[in-house]
Amino acid sequence: MDLVVVAQTLPEGVPTDLAGLEAAARVTLGFFVGALAFYAVGRLLVVPTVARIVRSRNRNNPTIETATETYVHVLVIVFAAVAGVVGAGYGGVLTDASIVIAAVSLVVGAASQDVIGSLVSGLFLIADPDFNVGDWISWPGGEGTVEAVDFRVTRVRTINNETITVPNTELTTNALTRPYGRERYRITEQLDVAYADDAELALMTLVETAREDDRVLDDPQPKSRIVAFGGTALTLQAEYWVSNPMDVNLVEVKSDFRRRVKRRFDEEGLTLGPASSHELSGELAVDVDGRDAVGSDEAGGSPSESTEAGDELS
């Protein structure tokens, strides 16, 4: 009697006999076997094969290679899920057009505008021949080396060896700066020197100071130039190159260069960052009332002398 009561209280649709449990286990096993088998074949054979073909035809564009691996991997997962459904014995569901359309509509509706925009932006970045994995890029939000372009974001490694994820839309809607080669990084420093100093000596000193560092490349050679005539000083600019910014500490290189420049300028008698001078004009008036006059008489002075002093100040 107790067993009958338990069977009556089970939710509708839950198998109560051994045959029903066996059928449910067979469906579950069929799904996992079909999905795992297809995924294993796709992950071990299809993805590496497609990546190898793409790599052989695009040797100078690693971006397409990494993106292809990502996209093909996702396709393998999707088809593995389909294979699991077929293995579970529900392949007929996939032939129903109304169900397929409803599923596609659900996926598209669930995806927000930002996600779709990032996906499309990622495709444009992959197709851009001037945007590649390994490039050093700079955008309004930061700078670093491109590591990978995914569906929604691009992974960038900064000079602090930190990996950040940047939305693809931010890279396609903003201006990107790529003035650096893949294996080189240009460092630019600006400083002011006094007009009375020897500008040619200052320019030569900047170049020599840059060459003192073994981390600075000889090709291209360090350069220096006058970039502006300021109100009180000349603005000079030094340019020098280092190897891959991931291989050197840029912060340390810049700091060492500035320290050497300061020491060399002191030795050469060059004025680094001269103080600015400003011409002031205006008037200064001193008003003398009765109480001030009395105080002046007691101190041995006169109101007229105080007024004359005020006139001189003005």
Side-chain angles (χ1 to χ4, degrees), residues 184 186-187 206-208 210-211 216-225 238-242:
R184 297 179 303 183
R186 184 184 64 201
I187 299 178
L206 290 176
V207 173
E208 293 176 353
R211 289 174 176 170
V216 175
L217 301 178
D218 295 329
D219 185 20
Q221 296 182 355
K223 299 179 181 179
S224 62
R225 57 175 59 91
E239 296 177 0
Y240 55 95
W241 299 72
V242 296

Side-chain angles (χ1 to χ4, degrees), residues 121-271:
S121 297
L123 294 176
F124 278 111
L125 291 175
I126 294 171
D128 187 354
D130 295 328
F131 186 91
N132 297 298
V133 171
D135 284 353
W136 182 275
I137 63 171
S138 175
W139 72 99
E143 61 180 352
T145 302
V146 178
E147 286 193 326
V149 181
D150 294 333
F151 285 105
R152 190 180 62 85
V153 298
T154 296
R155 305 187 186 280
V156 179
R157 187 158 45 118
T158 66
I159 59 176
N160 295 325
N161 206 27
E162 299 173 343
T163 299
I164 61 175
T165 55
V166 185
N168 293 330
T169 52
E170 184 173 346
L171 298 180
T172 54
T173 56
N174 291 299
L176 291 181
T177 303
R178 291 187 291 266
Y180 318 117
R182 291 190 181 182
E183 303 301 329
R184 297 179 303 183
Y185 182 88
R186 184 184 64 201
I187 299 178
T188 302
E189 296 281 357
Q190 289 190 355
L191 51 89
D192 295 333
V193 296
Y195 276 106
D197 291 345
D198 188 344
E200 294 299 327
L201 176 59
L203 293 174
M204 183 178 62
T205 302
L206 290 176
V207 173
E208 293 176 353
T209 303
R211 289 174 176 170
E212 293 176 358
D213 196 332
D214 295 335
R215 294 166 293 187
V216 175
L217 301 178
D218 295 329
D219 185 20
Q221 296 182 355
K223 299 179 181 179
S224 62
R225 57 175 59 91
I226 299 175
V227 294
F229 291 102
T232 60
L234 285 172
T235 300
L236 309 184
Q237 178 172 294
E239 296 177 0
Y240 55 95
W241 299 72
V242 296
S243 61
N244 191 319
M246 293 296 103
D247 297 334
V248 297
N249 189 332
L250 292 180
V251 177
E252 183 178 345
V253 172
K254 294 178 181 180
S255 177
D256 291 344
F257 174 77
R258 293 164 185 163
R259 292 169 57 189
R260 294 196 306 273
V261 167
K262 175 63 170 63
R263 184 176 64 252
R264 288 290 302 275
F265 272 44
D266 290 342
E267 295 174 355
E268 300 292 346
L270 298 172
T271 306

